[in-house]
Amino acid sequence: DLIENSNAHTIFDAVRTNPTASMLMSSGAGGGGSMTRLMVRGFSAADQNEMRDGLVDRSFSAPPVENVERIEILNGFSGFFQGFANPGGSVNYVSKGPTVEPLASLSIGDYGGGINFVHADLGGRATGLDDKLGYRVNAYREDGQTYVDGSRQKRALLSAVLDYHFTPDTVLTADIWHQDYEANGLQTYFSNATDGSWSGKVSAVPSASAFRASEQYGQDWTYNSFEKTLAGLRFESELNDAVTLRTGYRHGYMWRQYDYIDAQSVKANGDYIEKETASPRQFERTDSTYGLLDVRFDTWGVRHTVTGGYSGTYFVFERGTDVTKTFAGVSNIGSPALYADPQLALGGSSSWQSTWYNSTLIGDHIDFDDQWSALIGGNHADIMNKSRNTTAITSKYDQSADTPTYALMYKPIANVTLYASYMEALVNGGVAAATAVNANQQLSPSVSTQYETGVKTSFGGMDINAALFRIDKINEEIDPADKVFKQDGREIHQGLEVTSTGKLTDRLTLVGGFTLMDAHTEKMTSDRLAEGKTPSNVPEREASAYLEYALPWVPDLTVTGGANYYGRRPVDNDNTAFLDAATIFNAGLRYEPEIYGHRTSINLTVSNLFDKAYWSYYRSGDGLLLGSPRVVSLSLKATW
């Protein structure tokens, strides 16, 4: 409901009500990124930390939201079932499933500056089979102009889910979806400061107010395209009152290809040089599976729920060498230059990377009584990686670790839970950026640790959670002396996060909270100037609030509004320059009358209400992307 009420058409739109997650990649209308790069507690929750229905879905393409029931931001404890995970948390996209009652809805509308869409959602149970077979089908299509001048975006999705209930407690679920995406006239990266030193030590970040987010600073022939297909099976059965079996498998295949512009050496007078980067088609395959057994039993009045089993993911990524061209002329932010498409000659695949993630686990959730409970678990995690090019193997490793998980929970009263936990997880090494001497090399895995304590409460119609956490992992960066991407020192993230969700009154709904964090590096030996500094691109302050108020004097009309605060972020590990903090406001109206017995909804939203100019994203090696300007979205939905 929240996804639809906020007129969300991208993952960025859908998660902006969550104060513990921030978006690193602009994957929405007008954005150049096809990837989803969420950050949780200051760490990227991507790659093996992205899941679809609990199965790893490492993805270099933005997941659709039209076939998603909900998005779970799993903070902290997500490494238990996998053994390897982002130390900050993971993201799980839960698919829309078959409905008990017949469902048919049709939505049309416009978002992103001029992208028109149509979306059909059908569900129910098949007649003639005693309601044992259920289905859910989503079909979506969009096409139109984005808010960037000369930019156009097309996307199509077809998704189907079937489930068959052999018995009330035994169900087999099959799902498949295919999405294709094409965008032209991409946003331009700004990759140098006013003194031309962006690739080294940064002395200044240009003011976002000097730029227009709707301006085409690059070329309208740039593009970003991808196609992805995902298919899976899940089986769950309560074998008896004490034992439950859960298994699943999912296969994903995709390709992507892009051609974008960097604006380099931006001068004080607005002059800059355009650099084109084009990539040969890249391919990705992911196979993920799990098999788990839950066993429930009592010992001397103590209740146990023991979970044991295996989960594993096999990932293959194939790519070629990017081709670049720097144009001889000079552009200016007041009058960007137009260049003909040079049609750069692209080669074939030249590097391959394959990774096996294997995890064997056992854990026991222990209920001592109505107040005290505990979770004790262990995991044997193993990561095998091999990278090669056309002539030789460039890197190879096989590393494993035994990682424990402990948690203690106490309920002083029925609606309050206090908890403390400790977790270790095996974290895969990072991949060197194109600007490093060892570009595209993957570093070895390491073990991270996390301590957390907090409280979860429910009062009236509100759920309020607060957590203190401390995460310790190995630091990775490009050494400024030799330009080699390496592991050096430790990266510490510690802080407080507070979230609240629910109804303040019968008519007023609130979703929001904040994160306050101290993130820094320590024990540095190569880049000593980074000692005690905040890691690049990590915001130490974040907050969000989303409100809905059903007007008492106008039946079926709801006013919506909200704000997102993004704290300042350093663009280098020595903290010589920062992206400014920004607060973005949103507002809307939703009218939901019943017409001839059918539910309808007319939803009008305005994002970035005051047209705030801000930098939304920085990526080492690429540069800065501007945040979206004021954008009006309108949707009309009928359900019967």
Side-chain angles (χ1 to χ4, degrees), residues 185-197:
L186 306 181
Q187 270 187 297
T188 300
Y189 287 98
F190 288 86
S191 58
N192 287 76
T194 53
D195 63 352
S197 63

Side-chain angles (χ1 to χ4, degrees), residues 325-520:
K325 175 181 176 61
T326 300
F327 294 95
V330 175
S331 283
N332 187 276
I333 60 174
S335 56
L338 296 178
Y339 296 102
D341 185 354
Q343 301 287 334
L344 297 178
L346 304 177
S349 298
S350 58
S351 65
W352 295 261
Q353 179 191 76
S354 61
T355 307
W356 266 107
Y357 300 94
N358 295 286
S359 173
T360 305
L361 70 97
I362 187 167
D364 188 5
H365 186 280
I366 308 168
D367 289 305
F368 297 101
D369 53 35
D370 291 339
Q371 290 185 302
W372 290 95
S373 60
L375 175 64
I376 300 174
N379 204 310
H380 179 76
D382 180 70
I383 299 179
M384 296 179 288
N385 177 276
K386 181 169 69 175
S387 300
R388 63 182 178 90
N389 56 29
T390 53
T391 59
I393 295 175
T394 55
S395 67
K396 183 179 181 180
Y397 60 75
D398 182 353
Q399 293 193 10
S400 61
D402 294 313
T403 56
T405 296
Y406 311 103
L408 182 65
M409 292 148 280
Y410 174 62
K411 295 176 72 70
I413 56 177
N415 59 341
V416 176
T417 300
L418 307 174
Y419 70 92
S421 65
Y422 171 79
M423 183 188 76
E424 294 181 6
L426 189 62
V427 181
N428 208 1
V431 178
T435 53
V437 171
N438 55 337
N440 298 321
Q441 179 187 351
Q442 180 147 23
L443 303 184
S444 299
S446 61
V447 174
S448 68
T449 62
Q450 179 166 278
Y451 297 87
E452 182 174 338
T453 184
V455 57
K456 297 178 179 292
T457 66
S458 296
F459 289 104
M462 294 295 299
D463 293 331
I464 302 173
N465 303 324
L468 290 167
F469 60 88
R470 176 182 170 87
I471 303 170
D472 184 339
K473 72 174 290 289
I474 199 165
N475 179 62
E476 297 176 332
E477 67 173 11
I478 298 177
D479 189 332
D482 57 17
K483 307 301 181 184
V484 174
F485 184 64
K486 63 181 63 172
Q487 296 173 337
D488 177 37
R490 307 296 299 181
E491 185 174 342
I492 311 295
H493 293 206
Q494 54 193 9
L496 166 68
E497 60 185 22
V498 176
T499 61
S500 58
T501 303
K503 286 187 171 294
L504 293 171
T505 70
D506 289 341
R507 294 183 175 275
L508 181 60
T509 301
L510 168 66
V511 179
F514 62 87
T515 298
L516 305 176
M517 186 166 59
D518 169 31
H520 63 275

Side-chain angles (χ1 to χ4, degrees), residues 4-5 7 108 556-558 560 588-593 595 599-605 633-638:
E4 290 193 358
N5 290 352
N7 255 343
I108 60 173
D556 305 318
L557 183 63
T558 300
T560 65
L589 290 171
R590 188 173 69 254
Y591 184 51
E592 300 175 290
I595 301 176
R599 289 179 292 135
T600 60
S601 175
I602 303 172
N603 196 354
L604 175 69
T605 57
S633 300
L634 176 66
S635 66
L636 295 87
K637 178 181 178 181

Side-chain angles (χ1 to χ4, degrees), residues 124-450:
R125 316 299 300 179
T127 59
L129 295 173
D130 297 327
D131 290 337
K132 289 185 175 182
L133 179 65
Y135 64 92
R136 188 71 175 267
V137 176
N138 278 267
Y140 177 86
R141 177 76 179 180
E142 68 178 33
D143 190 355
Q145 301 289 329
T146 77
Y147 60 78
V148 178
D149 295 340
S151 176
R152 191 174 187 88
Q153 179 171 303
K154 294 191 295 184
R155 181 166 65 93
L157 168 72
L158 182 61
S159 170
V161 180
L162 298 174
D163 69 12
Y164 187 83
H165 289 258
F166 296 94
T167 70
D169 299 322
T170 300
V171 59
L172 175 68
T173 304
D175 67 278
I176 186 170
W177 59 263
H178 176 83
Q179 179 178 226
D180 62 73
Y181 170 93
E182 181 180 352
N184 297 96
L186 306 181
Q187 270 187 297
T188 300
Y189 287 98
F190 288 86
S191 58
N192 287 76
T194 53
D195 63 352
S197 63
W198 197 277
S199 58
K201 297 299 179 184
V202 181
S203 62
V205 172
S207 172
S209 61
F211 302 82
R212 291 175 58 244
S214 59
E215 182 72 50
Q216 178 56 266
Y217 294 107
Q219 304 298 320
D220 60 9
W221 42 258
T222 56
Y223 67 88
N224 180 34
S225 302
F226 71 79
E227 288 190 16
K228 178 167 183 174
T229 302
L230 203 66
L233 285 171
R234 286 174 287 140
F235 178 77
E236 183 169 338
S237 177
E238 287 193 21
L239 303 180
N240 54 48
D241 291 341
V243 181
T244 300
L245 172 66
R246 295 179 285 142
T247 63
Y249 167 77
R250 177 161 280 116
H251 171 77
Y253 180 81
M254 70 154 292
W255 63 262
R256 66 168 178 166
Q257 192 168 347
Y258 52 79
D259 187 337
Y260 65 91
I261 295 292
D262 275 332
Q264 298 191 315
S265 302
V266 183
K267 304 301 182 184
N269 65 354
D271 287 347
Y272 62 91
I273 303 297
E274 294 190 31
K275 176 185 175 183
E276 177 189 3
T277 300
S279 173
R281 184 163 293 190
Q282 304 172 6
F283 301 91
E284 175 194 65
R285 192 187 102 195
T286 302
D287 293 278
S288 184
T289 186
Y290 68 82
L292 300 170
L293 203 63
D294 305 315
V295 181
R296 298 169 290 278
F297 60 92
D298 293 337
T299 58
W300 299 285
V302 176
R303 183 68 171 170
H304 297 266
T305 302
V306 175
T307 295
Y310 166 84
S311 67
T313 300
Y314 180 63
F315 169 76
V316 178
F317 180 53
E318 174 184 343
R319 68 169 300 162
T321 302
D322 287 353
V323 179
T324 63
K325 175 181 176 61
T326 300
F327 294 95
V330 175
S331 283
N332 187 276
I333 60 174
S335 56
L338 296 178
Y339 296 102
D341 185 354
Q343 301 287 334
L344 297 178
L346 304 177
S349 298
S350 58
S351 65
W352 295 261
Q353 179 191 76
S354 61
T355 307
W356 266 107
Y357 300 94
N358 295 286
S359 173
T360 305
L361 70 97
I362 187 167
D364 188 5
H365 186 280
I366 308 168
D367 289 305
F368 297 101
D369 53 35
D370 291 339
Q371 290 185 302
W372 290 95
S373 60
L375 175 64
I376 300 174
N379 204 310
H380 179 76
D382 180 70
I383 299 179
M384 296 179 288
N385 177 276
K386 181 169 69 175
S387 300
R388 63 182 178 90
N389 56 29
T390 53
T391 59
I393 295 175
T394 55
S395 67
K396 183 179 181 180
Y397 60 75
D398 182 353
Q399 293 193 10
S400 61
D402 294 313
T403 56
T405 296
Y406 311 103
L408 182 65
M409 292 148 280
Y410 174 62
K411 295 176 72 70
I413 56 177
N415 59 341
V416 176
T417 300
L418 307 174
Y419 70 92
S421 65
Y422 171 79
M423 183 188 76
E424 294 181 6
L426 189 62
V427 181
N428 208 1
V431 178
T435 53
V437 171
N438 55 337
N440 298 321
Q441 179 187 351
Q442 180 147 23
L443 303 184
S444 299
S446 61
V447 174
S448 68
T449 62
Q450 179 166 278

